[in-house]
């Protein structure tokens, strides 16, 4: 096996096969808990070129790196469990044009996953990368006044879910329905899950459900103590997608990305006019309920893009990420793409 970086010193560290099979890789991983240190320090390790062909084989590798895989999901991406596995899910069913901004998985929960694993089952031909970003660097490089506002106030993540029977009319930004996220139609079960996970809930007219998560904006790593930017402001804030598409178009330079850059700027204005700030599908506020200025989101996205590590997927790739230091996202794509995900407690 050989090791190298694709983007100098940025995550991931690549561990590439020089002919080893899956058993040899698993033995290599379990010997002296190899790669735990690299995942901690580099933020992510990419296993490349090993004969990993199925979701079940991916699950075996992920469980070898971390035996504590989980299958409960309280995030926002529509995703489905992969048949024949216990802990493998589709990474996201969101449409290909939809930007997924950099985030640490489920950062708005009390107990976000420790590690995240991705597997490339079908590699995308155009776009569809899963860029990574060292959020410890983002924490260090953010403007001190902006960082201090976030650190002192914390953040509130707001999500609004429509009723079970609601048929959306051209709302591209609507979340899935609350029964799809909680996998039940029983409101009492939903309430119990919210209480267990420290999520505030409010039922509104027409069976709509509003969820609020109050968290810190910055988190110290549970093992290393290093501080990292750790919230979804650059994902859920109303203006985030418009700023993101400016960066995406500058990178991909396609006619479609130009269209979506204009469209997302228009959509943000339209959404501001049609619904109150806390009635949007998703939005972010400071912990005292005050608005996070657009200029703050613009700055955060600039710092993130300045540290972004973009690399092409190859079929069979397995990526192990330290979710408390390193974020991931998704660039728009065309054609087929099948990236699967698992996570650990
Ligand atoms: Fe994610």
């Amino acid at each position: 096996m050989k090791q190298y970086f694709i983007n100098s010193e940025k995550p991931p560290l690549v561990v590439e096969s020089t002919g080893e099979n899956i058993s040899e890789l698993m033995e290599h991983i379990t010997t002296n808990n190899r790669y735990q240190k690299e995942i901690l320090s580099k933020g992510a390790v990419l296993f490349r070129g090993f004969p990993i062909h199925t979701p079940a084989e991916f699950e075996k590798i992920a469980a070898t790196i971390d035996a504590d895989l989980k299958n409960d999901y309280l995030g926002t991406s529509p995703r489905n469990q992969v048949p024949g596995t216990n802990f493998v899910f589709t990474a996201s069913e969101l449409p290909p044009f939809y930007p997924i901004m950099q985030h640490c998985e489920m950062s708005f929960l009390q107990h976000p996953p420790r590690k995240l694993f991705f597997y490339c089952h079908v590699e995308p031909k155009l776009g569809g990368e899963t860029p990574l970003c060292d959020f410890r660097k983002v924490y260090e490089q953010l403007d001190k006044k902006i960082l201090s506002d976030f650190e002192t106030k914390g953040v509130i993540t707001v999500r609004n879910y429509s009723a079970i029977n609601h048929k959306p009319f051209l709302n591209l930004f609507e979340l899935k329905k609350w029964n799809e996220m909680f996998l039940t139609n029983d409101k009492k079960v939903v309430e119990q899950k919210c209480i267990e996970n420290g999520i505030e809930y409010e039922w509104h007219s027409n069976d709509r459900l509003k969820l609020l998560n109050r968290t810190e904006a910055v988190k110290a790593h549970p093992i290393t103590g290093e501080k990292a930017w750790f919230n979804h402001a650059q994902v859920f804030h109303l203006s985030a997608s418009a700023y993101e598409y400016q960066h995406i178009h500058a990178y991909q330079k396609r006619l479609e990305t130009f269209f979506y850059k204009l469209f997302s700027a228009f959509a943000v204005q339209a959404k501001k006019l049609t619904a109150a700030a806390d009635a949007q599908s998703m939005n972010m506020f400071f912990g005292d309920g005050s608005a996070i200025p657009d200029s703050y989101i613009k700055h955060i996205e600039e710092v993130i893009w300045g540290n972004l590590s973009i690399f092409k997927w190859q079929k069979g790739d397995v990526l192990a990420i330290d979710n408390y230091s390193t974020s991931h996202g998704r660039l728009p794509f065309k054609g087929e793409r099948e990236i699967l995900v698992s996570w650990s407690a």
Side-chain angles (χ1 to χ4, degrees):
M1 286 172 228
K2 54 179 180 179
Q3 297 189 7
Y4 58 92
F5 288 97
I6 301 170
N7 298 316
S8 65
E9 298 300 316
K10 286 182 182 171
L13 171 73
V14 182
V15 174
E16 191 171 314
S17 166
T18 45
E20 293 83 358
N21 60 30
I22 294 185
S23 322
E24 285 165 329
L25 173 62
M26 283 166 63
E27 200 186 309
H28 193 66
I29 290 169
T30 42
T31 308
N32 302 326
N33 266 338
R34 218 184 302 253
Y35 302 121
Q36 302 297 338
K37 246 191 3 225
E38 283 83 355
I39 295 170
L40 264 184
S41 60
K42 311 300 180 203
V45 171
L46 176 68
F47 298 95
R48 173 161 280 179
F50 295 93
I52 300 163
H53 303 300
T54 64
E57 285 169 343
F58 160 56
E59 189 175 46
K60 267 206 298 203
I61 300 294
T64 306
I65 298 171
D66 195 326
D68 203 6
L69 298 184
K70 291 285 168 206
N71 56 10
D72 51 338
Y73 178 66
L74 293 172
T76 49
S77 258
R79 48 173 62 163
N80 302 312
Q81 192 165 357
V82 175
T85 70
N86 292 315
F87 302 104
V88 180
F89 289 76
T90 56
S92 174
E93 299 293 335
L94 289 169
F97 69 85
Y98 203 99
I100 300 180
M101 286 71 103
Q102 287 292 311
H103 61 282
C104 293
E105 195 66 19
M106 300 181 240
S107 76
F108 44 87
L109 296 183
Q110 283 179 336
H111 305 290
R114 292 281 188 107
K115 286 197 191 77
L116 204 60
F117 302 92
F118 286 106
Y119 160 61
C120 176
H121 195 51
V122 177
E123 62 187 36
K125 295 282 176 282
L126 199 164
E129 297 93 339
T130 300
L132 302 178
C133 183
D134 188 334
F135 268 21
R136 295 166 295 191
K137 293 229 158 63
V138 171
Y139 171 77
E140 281 167 19
Q141 293 171 18
L142 279 175
D143 172 87
K144 294 298 167 249
K145 158 82 175 106
I146 292 178
L147 183 62
S148 148
D149 280 356
F150 275 98
E151 278 200 293
T152 42
K153 295 178 187 173
V155 290
I156 303 176
T157 304
V158 175
R159 294 180 280 168
N160 283 290
Y161 289 85
S162 57
I164 296 173
N165 298 320
H166 179 70
K167 302 239 185 319
F169 174 70
L170 201 68
N171 187 349
L172 297 169
F173 300 94
E174 186 168 48
L175 298 172
K176 55 189 168 178
K177 301 174 192 359
W178 57 258
N179 61 310
E180 292 167 347
M181 189 180 89
F182 287 98
L183 302 174
T184 178
N185 289 356
D186 187 336
K187 287 185 174 180
K188 286 277 164 263
V189 175
V190 170
E191 291 172 6
Q192 189 53 37
K193 264 206 152 161
C194 287
I195 292 165
E196 282 166 15
N197 289 282
I199 304 171
E200 295 167 39
Y201 62 88
E202 295 171 8
W203 294 105
H204 287 267
S205 58
N206 300 324
D207 257 1
R208 286 176 302 116
L209 173 63
K210 180 177 189 174
L211 301 180
L212 295 102
N213 295 73
R214 291 170 200 274
T215 53
E216 306 158 295
V218 167
K219 217 181 191 75
H221 194 286
I223 297 173
T224 64
E226 294 168 301
K227 283 187 165 180
W229 180 248
F230 201 80
N231 70 81
H232 269 57
Q234 69 285 349
V235 185
F236 289 162
H237 189 278
L238 196 51
S239 302
S241 59
Y243 292 129
E244 178 76 356
Y245 245 110
Q246 290 179 8
H247 292 284
I248 289 171
H249 178 61
Y251 181 74
Q252 291 193 338
K253 297 187 183 71
R254 293 189 286 133
L255 192 60
E256 276 167 278
T257 55
F258 177 67
F259 166 76
Y260 281 115
K261 180 176 114 166
L262 298 181
F263 174 77
S264 48
F266 164 78
V268 165
Q269 294 311 317
K271 283 192 284 182
K272 279 184 181 171
L273 291 173
T274 50
D278 68 341
Q280 303 287 341
S281 293
M282 301 172 281
N283 211 347
M284 294 287 296
F285 300 87
F286 282 124
D288 59 4
S290 61
I292 299 171
D294 285 2
S295 60
Y296 281 26
I297 302 301
K298 184 170 188 276
H299 170 69
I300 294 162
E301 292 208 23
E302 277 164 4
V303 174
I304 288 174
W305 273 81
N307 287 284
L308 214 55
S309 173
I310 305 175
F311 54 96
K312 290 274 173 218
W313 280 115
Q314 287 181 18
K315 186 172 166 46
D317 278 350
V318 170
L319 180 61
I321 303 172
D322 182 337
N323 191 46
Y324 280 75
S325 71
T326 303
S327 66
H328 62 281
R330 185 193 76 184
L331 294 182
F333 64 99
K334 273 182 94 117
E336 280 190 290
R337 176 185 191 272
E338 209 175 326
I339 305 296
L340 305 177
V341 64
S342 285
W343 58 93
S344 69

